[in-house]
């Protein structure tokens, strides 16, 4: 079964406000290069917000990527982790990728860490600013963790968090996969 893409979700009544706020944000003139790119491509909304969060986290040193580095952070300081990002591995035929992601998902569920899947390890690597590796199991884009910011949550973080909460508490299966901008 193909993964459900975020744009394919039916608009539930409780998500109308979130949807309307997304439409308002799309209508506003963009101020940065990243938001201009998001305005011109078909990928909008949550995908662009997520890319912005990851870029900001990389700049501030609050992003960890690679399965071993992520496992180390999850083992020693899981309370500092706000978000876990995993690339979709539904097309991948390697059973170790499935096992690795299942274990990371279980650990995140157990420690109340929000989790989201993205459409491509290559796109995740680009957003992280690392070179994509052929090794999907141990490569730098096999998993990414975003730590809580030292201050308040940004508007992008608020929207992504609301989106994840909405999806997790809905009856949408399989869980949607977010498209990151190119």
């Amino acid at each position: 079964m193909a993964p459900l893409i975020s744009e394919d979700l039916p608009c539930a009544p409780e998500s109308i406000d979130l949807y309307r706020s997304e439409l308002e944000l799309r209508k506003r003139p963009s101020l940065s290069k990243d938001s201009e790119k998001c305005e011109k491509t078909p990928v909008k909304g949550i995908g662009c917000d997520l890319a912005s969060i990851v870029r900001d986290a990389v700049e501030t040193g609050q992003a960890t990527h690679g399965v071993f580095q992520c496992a180390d952070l999850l083992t020693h300081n899981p309370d500092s982790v706000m978000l876990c990002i995993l690339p979709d591995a539904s097309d991948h035929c390697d059973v170790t990728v499935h096992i690795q992601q299942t274990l990371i998902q279980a650990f995140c569920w157990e420690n109340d860490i929000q989790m989201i899947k993205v459409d491509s390890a290559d796109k995740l690597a680009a957003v992280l600013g690392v070179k994509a590796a052929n090794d999907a199991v141990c490569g730098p884009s096999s998993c990414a963790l975003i730590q809580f910011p030292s201050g308040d949550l940004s508007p992008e973080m608020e929207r992504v968090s609301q989106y994840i909460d909405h999806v997790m508490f809905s009856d949408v299966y399989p869980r949607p996969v977010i498209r990151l901008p190119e």
Side-chain angles (χ1 to χ4, degrees):
M1 176 180 263
L4 184 65
I5 303 298
S6 60
E7 292 134 8
D8 299 334
L9 282 176
C11 192
E14 58 270 3
S15 68
I16 295 294
D17 294 330
L18 182 61
Y19 179 73
R20 285 185 183 148
S21 65
E22 264 190 56
L23 287 177
E24 289 300 316
L25 287 172
R26 290 179 191 175
K27 292 177 186 175
R28 292 183 189 158
S30 57
L31 302 175
S32 71
K33 268 188 171 179
D34 291 338
S35 56
E36 283 178 23
K37 186 176 182 181
C38 287
E39 288 292 320
K40 294 177 183 176
T41 62
V43 179
K44 297 179 186 171
I46 299 300
C48 286
D49 287 344
L50 186 59
S52 174
I53 291 168
V54 172
R55 285 186 194 103
D56 291 345
V58 168
E59 287 176 10
T60 59
Q62 295 173 321
T64 303
H65 55 84
V67 70
F68 297 118
Q69 294 84 354
C70 290
D72 186 49
L73 179 61
L74 287 171
T75 302
H76 292 100
N77 198 2
D79 294 335
S80 71
V81 179
M82 176 183 76
L83 178 64
C84 175
I85 305 167
L86 295 170
D88 184 39
S90 61
D91 297 344
H92 209 281
C93 57
D94 190 355
V95 71
T96 56
V97 173
H98 178 69
I99 292 170
Q100 165 198 312
Q101 287 196 352
T102 302
L103 291 172
I104 290 172
Q105 287 174 3
F107 196 92
C108 290
W109 271 104
E110 190 173 305
N111 288 284
D112 294 323
I113 298 170
Q114 289 185 326
M115 190 178 43
I116 199 162
K117 285 201 173 198
V118 295
D119 62 336
S120 167
D122 293 338
K123 289 181 187 178
L124 181 57
V127 172
L128 287 166
V130 297
K131 186 178 179 187
N134 292 342
D135 186 3
V137 178
C138 301
S141 58
S142 58
C143 177
L145 299 176
I146 307 299
Q147 293 175 296
F148 283 102
S150 54
D152 292 335
L153 295 179
S154 68
E156 291 89 2
M157 287 182 185
E158 291 281 345
R159 284 190 296 272
V160 169
S161 183
Q162 287 175 356
Y163 174 81
I164 293 170
D165 286 344
H166 171 72
V167 168
M168 287 300 152
F169 296 118
S170 68
D171 292 332
V172 176
Y173 290 99
R175 300 289 187 214
V177 174
I178 304 302
R179 288 186 194 194
L180 289 175
E182 296 291 331

